[in-house]
Every structure is written in structure tokens, then in C-alpha cells.
mmCIF file of all heavy atoms in Angstrom:
data_model
loop_
_atom_site.group_PDB
_atom_site.id
_atom_site.type_symbol
_atom_site.label_atom_id
_atom_site.label_comp_id
_atom_site.label_asym_id
_atom_site.label_seq_id
_atom_site.Cartn_x
_atom_site.Cartn_y
_atom_site.Cartn_z
ATOM 1 N N LEU C 1 0.828 -1.190 0.002
ATOM 2 C CA LEU C 1 -0.023 -0.010 0.004
ATOM 3 C C LEU C 1 0.876 1.270 0.020
ATOM 4 O O LEU C 1 0.359 2.328 0.374
ATOM 5 C CB LEU C 1 -0.920 0.009 1.247
ATOM 6 C CG LEU C 1 -1.902 -1.170 1.354
ATOM 7 C CD1 LEU C 1 -2.571 -1.143 2.721
ATOM 8 C CD2 LEU C 1 -2.949 -1.101 0.235
ATOM 9 N N THR C 2 2.089 1.140 -0.407
ATOM 10 C CA THR C 2 3.019 2.282 -0.316
ATOM 11 C C THR C 2 3.169 2.984 -1.640
ATOM 12 O O THR C 2 2.777 2.467 -2.678
ATOM 13 C CB THR C 2 4.441 1.830 0.158
ATOM 14 O OG1 THR C 2 5.040 1.032 -0.874
ATOM 15 C CG2 THR C 2 4.351 1.066 1.439
ATOM 16 N N ARG C 3 3.741 4.161 -1.555
ATOM 17 C CA ARG C 3 4.005 4.964 -2.754
ATOM 18 C C ARG C 3 5.255 5.759 -2.550
ATOM 19 O O ARG C 3 5.800 5.813 -1.439
ATOM 20 C CB ARG C 3 2.827 5.852 -3.045
ATOM 21 C CG ARG C 3 2.537 6.869 -1.945
ATOM 22 C CD ARG C 3 1.126 7.452 -2.038
ATOM 23 N NE ARG C 3 0.948 8.617 -1.157
ATOM 24 C CZ ARG C 3 0.767 8.477 0.174
ATOM 25 N NH1 ARG C 3 0.764 7.272 0.739
ATOM 26 N NH2 ARG C 3 0.588 9.524 0.926
ATOM 27 N N VAL C 4 5.726 6.413 -3.584
ATOM 28 C CA VAL C 4 6.898 7.253 -3.636
ATOM 29 C C VAL C 4 8.196 6.403 -3.585
ATOM 30 O O VAL C 4 8.488 5.738 -4.576
ATOM 31 C CB VAL C 4 6.916 8.414 -2.576
ATOM 32 C CG1 VAL C 4 8.059 9.361 -2.838
ATOM 33 C CG2 VAL C 4 5.582 9.198 -2.695
ATOM 34 N N LEU C 5 8.967 6.331 -2.468
ATOM 35 C CA LEU C 5 10.243 5.701 -2.558
ATOM 36 C C LEU C 5 10.554 4.673 -1.491
ATOM 37 O O LEU C 5 10.881 3.544 -1.823
ATOM 38 C CB LEU C 5 11.347 6.792 -2.528
ATOM 39 C CG LEU C 5 12.802 6.321 -2.702
ATOM 40 C CD1 LEU C 5 12.966 5.469 -3.929
ATOM 41 C CD2 LEU C 5 13.733 7.514 -2.750
ATOM 42 N N ALA C 6 10.460 5.010 -0.222
ATOM 43 C CA ALA C 6 10.888 4.074 0.849
ATOM 44 C C ALA C 6 10.139 2.732 0.767
ATOM 45 O O ALA C 6 10.774 1.656 0.721
ATOM 46 C CB ALA C 6 10.710 4.665 2.232
ATOM 47 N N GLY C 7 8.832 2.772 0.742
ATOM 48 C CA GLY C 7 8.027 1.536 0.675
ATOM 49 C C GLY C 7 8.224 0.832 -0.654
ATOM 50 O O GLY C 7 8.481 -0.411 -0.647
ATOM 51 N N PRO C 8 8.040 1.494 -1.770
ATOM 52 C CA PRO C 8 8.251 0.824 -3.043
ATOM 53 C C PRO C 8 9.654 0.209 -3.235
ATOM 54 O O PRO C 8 9.799 -0.824 -3.833
ATOM 55 C CB PRO C 8 7.999 1.898 -4.080
ATOM 56 C CG PRO C 8 6.986 2.788 -3.426
ATOM 57 C CD PRO C 8 7.401 2.799 -1.978
ATOM 58 N N PHE C 9 10.672 0.853 -2.681
ATOM 59 C CA PHE C 9 12.043 0.358 -2.750
ATOM 60 C C PHE C 9 12.100 -0.978 -1.979
ATOM 61 O O PHE C 9 12.691 -1.984 -2.481
ATOM 62 C CB PHE C 9 13.033 1.324 -2.185
ATOM 63 C CG PHE C 9 14.465 1.001 -2.363
ATOM 64 C CD1 PHE C 9 15.009 0.777 -3.625
ATOM 65 C CD2 PHE C 9 15.295 0.826 -1.225
ATOM 66 C CE1 PHE C 9 16.364 0.479 -3.790
ATOM 67 C CE2 PHE C 9 16.650 0.510 -1.397
ATOM 68 C CZ PHE C 9 17.164 0.327 -2.668
ATOM 69 N N CYS C 10 11.498 -1.014 -0.804
ATOM 70 C CA CYS C 10 11.467 -2.242 -0.006
ATOM 71 C C CYS C 10 10.734 -3.358 -0.757
ATOM 72 O O CYS C 10 11.268 -4.478 -0.899
ATOM 73 C CB CYS C 10 10.724 -1.979 1.321
ATOM 74 S SG CYS C 10 10.184 -3.467 2.215
ATOM 75 N N THR C 11 9.536 -3.063 -1.279
ATOM 76 C CA THR C 11 8.757 -4.145 -1.905
ATOM 77 C C THR C 11 9.362 -4.568 -3.220
ATOM 78 O O THR C 11 9.189 -5.730 -3.602
ATOM 79 C CB THR C 11 7.296 -3.700 -2.103
ATOM 80 O OG1 THR C 11 7.243 -2.440 -2.799
ATOM 81 C CG2 THR C 11 6.616 -3.504 -0.727
ATOM 82 N N MET C 12 10.080 -3.707 -3.910
ATOM 83 C CA MET C 12 10.805 -4.124 -5.102
ATOM 84 C C MET C 12 11.908 -5.160 -4.725
ATOM 85 O O MET C 12 12.085 -6.172 -5.445
ATOM 86 C CB MET C 12 11.439 -2.956 -5.816
ATOM 87 C CG MET C 12 12.172 -3.403 -7.133
ATOM 88 S SD MET C 12 12.955 -2.009 -8.038
ATOM 89 C CE MET C 12 14.333 -1.622 -6.912
ATOM 90 N N ILE C 13 12.639 -4.926 -3.655
ATOM 91 C CA ILE C 13 13.646 -5.848 -3.223
ATOM 92 C C ILE C 13 13.020 -7.238 -2.929
ATOM 93 O O ILE C 13 13.474 -8.282 -3.342
ATOM 94 C CB ILE C 13 14.381 -5.337 -1.984
ATOM 95 C CG1 ILE C 13 15.211 -4.069 -2.332
ATOM 96 C CG2 ILE C 13 15.320 -6.400 -1.439
ATOM 97 C CD1 ILE C 13 15.764 -3.364 -1.111
ATOM 98 N N LEU C 14 11.878 -7.168 -2.215
ATOM 99 C CA LEU C 14 11.180 -8.456 -1.890
ATOM 100 C C LEU C 14 10.656 -9.120 -3.155
ATOM 101 O O LEU C 14 10.706 -10.365 -3.291
ATOM 102 C CB LEU C 14 10.018 -8.135 -0.908
ATOM 103 C CG LEU C 14 10.405 -7.562 0.417
ATOM 104 C CD1 LEU C 14 9.203 -7.128 1.230
ATOM 105 C CD2 LEU C 14 11.243 -8.560 1.250
ATOM 106 N N GLY C 15 10.197 -8.346 -4.118
ATOM 107 C CA GLY C 15 9.752 -8.890 -5.410
ATOM 108 C C GLY C 15 10.957 -9.435 -6.151
ATOM 109 O O GLY C 15 10.839 -10.554 -6.803
ATOM 110 N N ASP C 16 12.080 -8.739 -6.150
ATOM 111 C CA ASP C 16 13.287 -9.264 -6.811
ATOM 112 C C ASP C 16 13.668 -10.649 -6.256
ATOM 113 O O ASP C 16 14.176 -11.516 -6.956
ATOM 114 C CB ASP C 16 14.450 -8.330 -6.652
ATOM 115 C CG ASP C 16 14.392 -7.111 -7.535
ATOM 116 O OD1 ASP C 16 13.524 -7.036 -8.392
ATOM 117 O OD2 ASP C 16 15.267 -6.216 -7.387
ATOM 118 N N LEU C 17 13.415 -10.791 -4.928
ATOM 119 C CA LEU C 17 13.769 -12.070 -4.252
ATOM 120 C C LEU C 17 12.711 -13.163 -4.448
ATOM 121 O O LEU C 17 12.832 -14.249 -3.931
ATOM 122 C CB LEU C 17 14.044 -11.839 -2.809
ATOM 123 C CG LEU C 17 15.261 -11.029 -2.475
ATOM 124 C CD1 LEU C 17 15.316 -10.565 -1.029
ATOM 125 C CD2 LEU C 17 16.506 -11.855 -2.784
ATOM 126 N N GLY C 18 11.670 -12.848 -5.198
ATOM 127 C CA GLY C 18 10.697 -13.917 -5.585
ATOM 128 C C GLY C 18 9.339 -13.793 -4.976
ATOM 129 O O GLY C 18 8.475 -14.607 -5.279
ATOM 130 N N ALA C 19 9.129 -12.790 -4.044
ATOM 131 C CA ALA C 19 7.803 -12.678 -3.491
ATOM 132 C C ALA C 19 6.781 -12.182 -4.496
ATOM 133 O O ALA C 19 7.125 -11.543 -5.483
ATOM 134 C CB ALA C 19 7.842 -11.684 -2.303
ATOM 135 N N ASP C 20 5.533 -12.541 -4.295
ATOM 136 C CA ASP C 20 4.423 -12.072 -5.091
ATOM 137 C C ASP C 20 3.969 -10.735 -4.506
ATOM 138 O O ASP C 20 3.364 -10.733 -3.409
ATOM 139 C CB ASP C 20 3.280 -13.062 -5.115
ATOM 140 C CG ASP C 20 2.071 -12.599 -5.963
ATOM 141 O OD1 ASP C 20 2.241 -11.627 -6.755
ATOM 142 O OD2 ASP C 20 0.966 -13.118 -5.755
ATOM 143 N N VAL C 21 4.333 -9.627 -5.125
ATOM 144 C CA VAL C 21 4.026 -8.284 -4.603
ATOM 145 C C VAL C 21 2.812 -7.744 -5.385
ATOM 146 O O VAL C 21 2.853 -7.612 -6.592
ATOM 147 C CB VAL C 21 5.191 -7.366 -4.715
ATOM 148 C CG1 VAL C 21 4.849 -5.933 -4.179
ATOM 149 C CG2 VAL C 21 6.403 -7.909 -3.945
ATOM 150 N N ILE C 22 1.732 -7.417 -4.656
ATOM 151 C CA ILE C 22 0.587 -6.770 -5.202
ATOM 152 C C ILE C 22 0.580 -5.306 -4.806
ATOM 153 O O ILE C 22 0.342 -4.963 -3.660
ATOM 154 C CB ILE C 22 -0.716 -7.460 -4.690
ATOM 155 C CG1 ILE C 22 -0.718 -8.933 -5.102
ATOM 156 C CG2 ILE C 22 -1.968 -6.760 -5.262
ATOM 157 C CD1 ILE C 22 -1.908 -9.772 -4.517
ATOM 158 N N LYS C 23 0.818 -4.444 -5.776
ATOM 159 C CA LYS C 23 0.880 -3.010 -5.552
ATOM 160 C C LYS C 23 -0.548 -2.423 -5.693
ATOM 161 O O LYS C 23 -1.156 -2.512 -6.743
ATOM 162 C CB LYS C 23 1.799 -2.332 -6.581
ATOM 163 C CG LYS C 23 1.955 -0.824 -6.422
ATOM 164 C CD LYS C 23 2.894 -0.220 -7.450
ATOM 165 C CE LYS C 23 3.005 1.295 -7.340
ATOM 166 N NZ LYS C 23 3.730 1.719 -6.125
ATOM 167 N N ILE C 24 -0.997 -1.817 -4.634
ATOM 168 C CA ILE C 24 -2.354 -1.274 -4.601
ATOM 169 C C ILE C 24 -2.313 0.244 -4.634
ATOM 170 O O ILE C 24 -1.652 0.880 -3.845
ATOM 171 C CB ILE C 24 -3.144 -1.773 -3.379
ATOM 172 C CG1 ILE C 24 -3.294 -3.307 -3.423
ATOM 173 C CG2 ILE C 24 -4.483 -1.071 -3.262
ATOM 174 C CD1 ILE C 24 -4.026 -3.910 -2.247
ATOM 175 N N GLU C 25 -3.059 0.842 -5.602
ATOM 176 C CA GLU C 25 -3.204 2.266 -5.707
ATOM 177 C C GLU C 25 -4.679 2.611 -5.848
ATOM 178 O O GLU C 25 -5.503 1.733 -6.117
ATOM 179 C CB GLU C 25 -2.465 2.805 -6.938
ATOM 180 C CG GLU C 25 -0.947 2.571 -6.933
ATOM 181 C CD GLU C 25 -0.303 3.015 -8.236
ATOM 182 O OE1 GLU C 25 -0.115 4.213 -8.407
ATOM 183 O OE2 GLU C 25 -0.054 2.128 -9.076
ATOM 184 N N ALA C 26 -4.996 3.868 -5.731
ATOM 185 C CA ALA C 26 -6.367 4.311 -6.018
ATOM 186 C C ALA C 26 -6.585 4.214 -7.508
ATOM 187 O O ALA C 26 -5.670 4.225 -8.287
ATOM 188 C CB ALA C 26 -6.529 5.753 -5.529
#
């Protein structure tokens, strides 16, 4: 549920490592 930089940077790393990341926006 994050946006801009800190959160998306974290979830990209987790996604790079193989997690299924669902990015939710309005």
C-alpha cells in the first residue's frame, strides 16, 4: 500500500527475491 520511494524500494527488493507483490493504488 506504499507509494513514492521508501516503501516501493522495499517491496521491489522483496519482489526481486521472488515474493508475489501486489501493488495497490487508487
Side-chain angles (χ1 to χ4, degrees):
L1 300 171
T2 67
R3 62 199 191 283
V4 186
L5 185 53
F9 187 60
C10 164
T11 53
M12 182 181 71
I13 295 170
L14 298 171
D16 283 355
L17 290 169
D20 178 18
V21 178
I22 300 174
K23 180 180 179 70
I24 297 180
E25 299 175 78

